[in-house]
Amino acid sequence: MGRYAHLAYTDEVRLVQREQGSELSAVRQLAHGDEPEELTEAEAGFIQSRDGFYLASVSETGWPYVQFRGGPPGFAQVVDERTIAFAEVRGNRQYISTGNIRADGRVALFFMDYARQARLKLFGRASVQELEKNPELDRRLLATRTEGRVERLMTVHVEGFNWNCPQHITPRFSEAELRPHLDQLQERMAALEEENRVLRTQLEQRAG
């Protein structure tokens, strides 16, 4: 965590770290340098396996805004070691994130795996790209996306990232993650019901 720490650890943050006794850890993280960080296969695999993430932008009035972006796993693609891209599908038509990014491209992204208690935090600079400007990227991003009308593409140029500790992440499971276990349970219940039916029939025949 080099560039991420340099962006996140402002003077006021460093003061609080000093007051709370975590300054030495911060110093070690800052020692890694301030060069933009590149995503590895670990980050790329994690990002592309997620079915959603949180996108934070900042308005011209200085207020932060957080929006959820969701879709099937793979709708957010790692284009290269420094770039993430995804298709923007029409929502409630407020366009707050899009407007914020047009004025100030600085964003923060949170990718969560609640089931495994994993979290990837990322700083980047986002930009909006109209469709048909890059046909190859269009095809890649439109191959896996959520339903709805695609209005534009969004790319995020990665500045830094950090894997957060699992502490305090409450495990949660999606329907897709639970489905194999639920299917096994339903199959087992069906087998038990059939077994009970056969036993009841045998008991009725003996009683008769």
Side-chain angles (χ1 to χ4, degrees):
M1 185 173 66
R3 177 67 169 162
Y4 189 96
H6 282 274
L7 294 173
Y9 296 169
T10 62
D11 291 342
E12 198 65 28
V13 171
R14 293 291 305 281
L15 176 60
V16 176
Q17 291 170 342
R18 189 174 305 115
E19 293 170 350
Q20 299 298 319
S22 62
E23 184 180 19
L24 290 179
S25 175
V27 169
R28 287 194 294 269
Q29 293 164 359
L30 290 168
H32 289 291
D34 193 20
E35 294 298 319
E37 296 172 292
E38 294 186 350
L39 300 170
T40 69
E41 291 184 3
E43 287 79 40
F46 187 78
I47 290 169
Q48 294 176 162
S49 69
R50 298 298 85 216
D51 61 3
F53 61 89
Y54 300 94
L55 171 68
S57 59
V58 60
S59 73
E60 294 161 276
T61 57
W63 288 99
Y65 180 74
V66 180
Q67 180 63 272
F68 182 77
R69 290 290 187 270
F75 84 98
Q77 287 284 314
V78 176
V79 179
D80 57 44
E81 294 84 355
R82 294 285 311 282
T83 309
I84 300 169
F86 55 94
E88 283 277 85
V89 177
R90 175 175 289 182
N92 59 15
R93 307 196 73 185
Q94 293 181 348
Y95 302 113
I96 298 175
S97 296
T98 304
N100 287 349
I101 288 168
R102 182 178 293 179
D104 186 337
R106 290 176 297 176
V107 294
L109 282 68
F110 265 48
F111 294 90
M112 303 292 301
D113 185 338
Y114 291 101
R116 297 169 183 79
Q117 296 177 287
R119 172 173 49 202
L120 177 63
K121 303 186 300 186
L122 183 148
F123 282 138
R125 297 182 182 275
S127 60
V128 175
Q129 181 173 306
E130 299 304 319
L131 295 172
E132 301 181 358
K133 294 291 185 180
N134 186 336
E136 183 177 349
L137 184 60
D138 288 353
R139 286 192 295 271
R140 178 171 178 174
L141 298 182
L142 298 184
T144 305
R145 64 175 181 82
T146 190
E147 295 181 356
R149 176 181 174 181
V150 176
E151 295 187 321
R152 67 194 64 82
L153 307 181
M154 188 170 293
T155 59
V156 179
H157 195 60
V158 177
E159 291 286 339
F161 59 86
N162 178 38
W163 287 95
N164 222 176
C165 71
Q167 189 178 19
H168 306 309
I169 299 177
T170 303
R172 294 187 176 90
F173 302 88
S174 68
E175 181 181 355
E177 290 166 333
L178 290 173
R179 179 50 53 195
H181 306 286
L182 293 175
D183 288 343
Q184 291 178 6
L185 181 60
Q186 289 175 343
E187 291 174 2
R188 179 57 176 162
M189 289 177 62
L192 289 173
E193 288 175 355
E194 176 61 19
E195 184 178 336
N196 285 337
R197 187 193 65 80
V198 171
L199 290 174
R200 285 195 302 269
T201 301
Q202 293 175 347
L203 287 173
E204 290 172 357
Q205 291 174 345
R206 291 178 182 177

